């Protein structure tokens, strides 16, 4: 009881501080520090953080919204709130399949005399909360095995797996080559339960299952691709990076070449089903839609037979990817990296990294350890982040793409190297980092571009070229 009160006090204090900030800053017309707390509308911002301190008492949900508003959502973590409703359960199952496709396994162990079927996960110790979520949501009968650096959750009870796992994995199938493994595992499990096969016969299944051998004439049902599967798979296999030298961020998934098809399906699914959120500024929206198919791409296979699916465009990350992932439940420690990663993207998008401010430098430095685990793991420093967002006015114009803003604010634009292309109504329609890139686009020389910038004549019957941004 005492503990609960203290934590509430802390939260209250934090909110008072933020509210205070809001009041304090309110005399200024800029709405950039508008902080709104929501009690309802939970579905909108259904982020769940198992990693905040005091997780068994308070579930805090927060979301860095766009348009410069920071919205913080909190919810008491009482019993009712912890129970997932039907929709959440289905979404969790989809997530679980994606996470299993990445980090889980179906396998068999033992000899003819004692042959066992397994399903489970073996993760870094930092991910114990994730296994607890899986165990609790599935009401899994086995306990988590805690080792020195790792944690393991496996189930071997055949009847339980038959009753609880098969319905999930039949409804939401695996979409990597783990699908073959599951199908053989299921067949073996059912034969074993119904005692139609001897262990001797089942021993043959073991190799097929454990080696993910491809089964001819069996097609992986990729058409079941969905948002929650993607998040689960990403939590297991995805990487979030911040390149502070280039002020850019990236999300990528590396896979062995034999999972290439899965990456292609993810790519097509995202390009066909996800879109910029409604309040994406018009110019950015048009830019994204005009370049849509380049926003996410597959690399060539490297020497080690690895292939990447990457998305690295800041506007795409900010207006498409992040809002999507903010609306889903995360269950692994990667949520922590994701929060830091999206905070840095928010800082970059506002141009705050161009401001000489120690808090910002400190935060960017801090996130260098974004993906570290164990003792070097970093937490999500919401206080530092709030401080930055609430006390610094955005430098970048939110109506322009990230790259346009960085050209405007780079040394290059001061020396007049950037090219801004307007239509005859003075609407900005394109930007280039140099005369050369503009020339390449318009099939003319850099001198031609320079000439039109200088004389201000109408270029190609429809454009005006400038070396500065008009207001
Ligand atoms: C802050 O944003 C909320 C929601 O968009 C709005 O209702 C409220 O009036 C805004 N407050 C201020 C001070 O601008
Ligand atoms: C995948 O991307 C990472 C990060 O950009 C890079 O280090 C790696 O070499 C890439 N691998 C391939 C196969 O392109
Ligand atoms: C410029 O504006 C006029 C009137 O608003 C419109 O009819 C015309 O289509 C616009 N031209 C361009 C190139 O957008
Ligand atoms: C430049 O030339 C290429 C091929 O030669 C063509 O596809 C492209 O449309 C041209 N661009 C412009 C702006 O005329």
């Amino acid at each position: 009881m005492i503990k609960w009160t203290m934590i509430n006090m802390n939260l209250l204090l934090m909110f008072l501080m933020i509210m205070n900030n809001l009041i304090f800053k309110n005399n200024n017309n800029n709405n950039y520090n508008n902080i709104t707390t929501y009690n309802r509308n939970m579905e909108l911002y259904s982020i769940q953080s198992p990693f905040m301190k005091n997780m068994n008492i308070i579930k805090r949900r927060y979301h860095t919204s766009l348009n410069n508003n920071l919205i913080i959502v909190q919810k008491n973590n009482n019993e009712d709130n912890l129970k997932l409703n039907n929709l959440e359960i289905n979404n969790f199952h989809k997530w679980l399949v994606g996470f299993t496709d990445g980090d889980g396994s179906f396998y068999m162990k033992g000899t003819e005399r004692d042959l066992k079927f397994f399903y489970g996960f073996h993760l870094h110790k930092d991910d114990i909360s994730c296994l607890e979520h899986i165990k609790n949501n599935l009401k899994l009968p086995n306990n988590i095995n805690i080792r020195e650096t790792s944690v393991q959750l496996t189930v071997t009870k055949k009847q339980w797996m038959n009753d609880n796992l098969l319905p999930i994995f039949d409804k939401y199938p695996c979409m990597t080559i783990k699908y073959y493994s599951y199908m053989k595992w299921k067949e073996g499990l059912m034969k074993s339960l119904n005692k139609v096969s001897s262990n001797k016969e089942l021993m043959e299944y073991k190799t097929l299952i454990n080696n993910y051998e491809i089964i001819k004439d069996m097609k992986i049902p990729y058409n079941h691709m969905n948002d929650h599967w993607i998040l689960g798979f990403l939590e297991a296999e995805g990487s979030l990076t911040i390149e502070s030298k280039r002020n850019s961020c990236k999300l990528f998934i590396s896979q062995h070449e034999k999972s290439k098809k899965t990456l292609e399906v993810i790519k097509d699914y995202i390009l066909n089903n996800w879109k910029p959120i409604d309040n994406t500024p018009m110019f950015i929206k048009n830019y994204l839609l005009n370049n849509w198919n380049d926003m996410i791409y597959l690399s060539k296979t490297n020497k080690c037979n690895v292939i990447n699916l990457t998305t690295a465009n800041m506007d795409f990350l900010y207006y498409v990817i992040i809002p999507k992932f903010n609306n889903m439940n995360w269950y692994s420690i990667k949520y922590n990296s994701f929060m830091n990663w999206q905070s840095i993207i928010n800082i970059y998008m506002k141009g705050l990294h161009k401001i000489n401010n120690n808090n910002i430098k400190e935060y960017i430095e801090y996130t260098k350890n974004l993906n570290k685990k164990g003792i070097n793991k970093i937490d999500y420093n919401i206080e530092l982040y709030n401080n930055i967002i609430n006390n610094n006015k955005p430098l970048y114009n939110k109506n322009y793409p990230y790259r346009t803003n960085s050209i405007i604010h780079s040394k290059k634009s001061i020396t007049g190297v950037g090219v801004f292309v307007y239509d005859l109504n003075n609407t900005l329609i394109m930007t280039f980092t140099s005369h050369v890139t503009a020339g390449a686009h318009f099939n003319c020389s850099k001198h031609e571009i320079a000439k039109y910038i200088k004389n201000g004549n109408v270029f190609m019957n429809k454009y005006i070229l400038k070396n500065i941004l008009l207001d």
Side-chain angles (χ1 to χ4, degrees):
M1 244 0 234
I2 291 166
K3 204 173 165 202
W4 193 85
T5 317
M6 273 179 57
I7 283 141
N8 258 340
M9 283 290 287
N10 276 339
L11 263 176
L12 192 65
L13 260 176
M14 197 180 97
F15 272 83
L16 281 179
M17 274 164 55
I18 293 165
M19 285 316 217
N20 221 2
N21 233 329
L22 174 66
I23 294 157
F24 176 69
K25 289 267 179 170
N26 230 3
N27 52 359
N28 154 347
N29 281 337
N30 275 312
N31 198 20
Y32 64 85
N33 60 338
N34 181 353
I35 295 167
T36 316
T37 60
Y38 283 72
N39 293 320
R40 307 209 157 261
N41 231 354
M42 277 302 158
E43 286 76 13
L44 259 175
Y45 305 112
S46 55
I47 301 176
Q48 215 181 354
S49 168
F51 312 108
M52 304 302 296
K53 282 175 230 146
N54 324 316
M55 57 164 273
N56 50 350
I57 299 173
I58 297 285
K59 185 156 78 173
R60 277 197 288 184
R61 296 176 168 207
Y62 39 81
H63 170 66
T64 322
S65 85
L66 305 171
N67 282 348
N68 303 327
N69 294 337
L70 175 68
I71 296 173
I72 298 181
V73 185
Q74 71 164 345
K75 197 177 177 184
N76 285 341
N77 207 9
N78 60 33
E79 276 302 305
D80 286 345
N81 287 333
L82 276 180
K83 286 201 190 92
L84 300 181
N85 64 33
N86 273 348
L87 177 67
E88 283 173 327
I89 279 285
N90 284 335
N91 289 342
F92 171 73
H93 289 164
K94 292 176 186 170
W95 176 92
L96 180 73
V97 175
F99 194 68
T100 303
D101 257 317
D103 271 351
S105 29
F106 300 98
Y107 58 103
M108 287 171 73
K109 249 161 92 171
T111 57
E112 224 180 291
R113 272 188 36 225
D114 182 22
L115 192 57
K116 282 201 168 81
F117 289 79
F118 288 79
Y119 166 72
F121 301 89
H122 190 181
L123 305 176
H124 189 280
K125 204 172 181 177
D126 286 353
D127 246 330
I128 187 160
S129 295
C130 178
L131 292 190
E132 280 166 355
H133 271 286
I134 294 174
K135 177 177 155 58
N136 294 340
N137 287 348
L138 291 179
K139 300 186 179 65
L140 210 138
N142 297 57
N143 286 327
I144 298 169
N145 180 5
I146 302 174
R147 300 179 177 183
E148 201 175 328
T149 56
S150 65
V151 282
Q152 195 172 19
L153 178 63
T154 45
V155 54
T156 51
K157 291 195 174 72
K158 280 189 276 197
Q159 192 63 50
W160 186 91
M161 294 193 288
N162 179 77
D163 299 345
N164 295 278
L165 293 181
L166 302 192
I168 297 173
F169 286 88
D170 287 343
K171 189 170 175 194
Y172 305 118
C174 285
M175 285 179 279
T176 60
I177 50 173
K178 221 161 260 178
Y179 178 76
Y180 300 120
S181 182
Y182 167 74
M183 293 303 277
K184 270 288 157 198
W185 180 89
K186 170 185 164 185
E187 194 183 317
L189 179 76
M190 286 168 75
K191 281 185 172 166
S192 172
L193 261 179
N194 300 328
K195 303 196 166 54
V196 296
S197 295
S198 66
N199 275 1
K200 188 175 178 192
E201 287 165 316
L202 289 172
M203 281 299 279
E204 285 172 25
Y205 281 68
K206 200 172 129 181
T207 338
L208 282 175
I209 294 168
N210 295 2
N211 296 341
Y212 306 127
E213 275 180 37
I214 290 168
I215 304 167
K216 277 195 198 126
D217 309 323
M218 189 183 276
K219 288 218 160 60
I220 300 176
Y222 292 114
N223 60 336
H224 283 78
M225 187 53 67
N226 65 74
D227 294 356
H228 297 273
W229 184 94
I230 291 178
L231 179 57
F233 192 62
L234 178 99
E235 286 196 59
E237 298 286 281
S239 305
L240 304 167
T241 63
I242 299 169
E243 291 177 36
S244 56
K245 284 211 181 72
R246 301 179 56 227
N247 302 326
S248 68
C249 298
K250 204 185 257 186
L251 182 168
F252 68 94
I253 305 176
S254 294
Q255 289 292 296
H256 189 275
E257 193 186 25
K258 61 189 178 187
S259 298
K260 183 177 177 183
K261 181 69 188 166
T262 301
L263 295 183
E264 282 171 352
V265 172
I266 296 172
K267 175 185 165 203
D268 291 343
Y269 178 86
I270 291 178
L271 293 180
N272 289 327
N273 294 283
W274 295 10
K275 54 183 198 315
I277 53 167
D278 288 344
N279 59 352
T280 309
M282 184 67 93
F283 185 61
I284 299 177
K285 194 176 212 162
N286 288 341
Y287 156 77
L288 287 174
L289 297 179
N290 286 336
N291 297 283
W292 196 246
N293 291 331
D294 303 329
M295 289 297 153
I296 173 162
Y297 50 90
L298 275 172
S299 73
K300 291 208 171 69
T301 308
N302 76 3
K303 274 180 257 158
C304 311
N305 299 319
V306 172
I307 184 162
N308 277 355
L309 182 67
T310 306
T311 172
N313 179 285
M314 292 289 278
D315 299 292
F316 188 72
L317 294 175
Y318 191 73
Y319 291 104
V320 182
I321 299 288
I322 290 174
K324 191 56 130 177
F325 287 145
N326 273 335
N327 281 337
M328 289 190 267
N329 274 322
W330 290 63
Y331 295 93
S332 80
I333 193 74
K334 199 154 278 171
Y335 176 77
N336 206 31
S337 307
F338 173 67
M339 288 309 290
N340 277 308
W341 181 78
Q342 71 160 300
S343 297
I344 289 287
I345 291 181
N346 211 11
I347 285 170
Y348 284 160
M349 292 299 286
K350 291 176 169 47
L352 300 183
H353 58 294
K354 300 269 180 173
I355 297 173
N356 190 9
N357 172 299
N358 284 337
N359 275 343
I360 299 173
K361 283 184 196 152
E362 188 191 327
Y363 193 53
I364 291 175
E365 183 65 28
Y366 178 71
T367 52
K368 276 199 175 140
N369 285 338
L370 188 68
N371 295 306
K372 293 266 164 65
K373 292 196 168 173
I375 51 166
N376 293 320
K377 176 173 81 71
I378 57 172
D379 285 321
Y380 180 49
N381 193 340
I382 190 172
E383 283 79 12
L384 181 57
Y385 173 69
N386 280 347
N387 204 334
I388 290 169
I389 291 295
N390 294 327
N391 294 302
N392 293 284
K393 190 176 168 181
L395 192 64
Y396 282 7
N397 183 329
K398 71 178 166 68
N399 294 312
Y400 295 140
Y402 183 67
R403 224 164 77 93
T404 303
N405 271 312
S406 54
I407 294 168
I408 297 166
H409 290 274
S410 73
K411 289 198 185 74
K412 275 184 180 168
S413 76
I414 294 164
T415 57
V417 178
V419 178
F420 300 91
V421 181
Y422 292 85
D423 69 10
L424 300 182
N425 291 341
N426 277 345
T427 305
L428 181 68
I429 46 176
M430 272 179 259
T431 57
F432 297 98
T433 45
S434 68
H435 293 178
V436 175
T437 47
H441 178 86
F442 291 114
N443 296 334
C444 68
S445 73
K446 60 178 182 181
H447 306 293
E448 194 82 351
I449 298 289
K451 189 175 99 189
Y452 278 89
I453 288 175
K454 203 167 167 202
N455 67 23
N457 289 344
V458 176
F459 177 65
M460 296 179 78
N461 293 324
K462 49 183 170 184
Y463 304 121
I464 302 284
L465 307 185
K466 304 263 182 202
N467 60 358
I468 50 160
L469 189 73
L470 302 177
D471 280 336

